[in-house]
Amino acid sequence: EVIHRIIKDLLSSDNDPRTLCLAEVCFKKTHGNPFFLLHFLEMLYGRGLLRFNLGTLSWTWDVEEIDRVSASDNVLDLLKSKVADLSHDL
């Protein structure tokens, strides 16, 4: 429930029933850790798996594609991954 509320607030999607499916996948990937959730969502956005559609002024995503994303078991691994991604961009 908390993860669902965070996602609805972040995506300004109170009336979008798809957020429940996204919250379930995110909960599974982050084990309900809010800090990890924020970084996981940021990673999804960075990889283009979470996109803002200017035509509809709403967020879009593919839950099945997100579910296939390999998620670390802890925040440290995720942050290491982010640093590695930054070094590839240089």
Side-chain angles (χ1 to χ4, degrees), residues 3 6-7 10 26 29-30 33-47 50 69-72 74-83 85-86:
I3 297 298
I6 291 171
I7 288 174
L10 286 173
C26 288
K29 299 288 186 178
T30 65
N33 181 319
F35 177 76
F36 194 14
L37 171 69
L38 295 177
H39 286 282
F40 182 70
L41 291 171
E42 184 179 312
M43 183 262 309
L44 294 177
Y45 177 76
R47 293 185 181 179
L50 182 63
V69 169
S70 171
S72 301
N74 62 55
V75 176
L76 183 57
D77 287 342
L78 178 65
L79 295 177
K80 284 181 185 178
S81 168
K82 286 179 66 172
V83 170
D85 286 346
L86 288 175

Side-chain angles (χ1 to χ4, degrees), residues 47-76:
R47 293 185 181 179
L49 299 174
L50 182 63
R51 302 169 298 282
F52 189 75
N53 183 322
L54 290 173
T56 61
L57 298 176
S58 64
W59 290 93
T60 61
W61 59 87
D62 181 340
V63 171
E64 291 172 1
E65 194 173 345
I66 291 171
D67 196 31
R68 287 190 294 270
V69 169
S70 171
S72 301
D73 285 335
N74 62 55
V75 176
L76 183 57

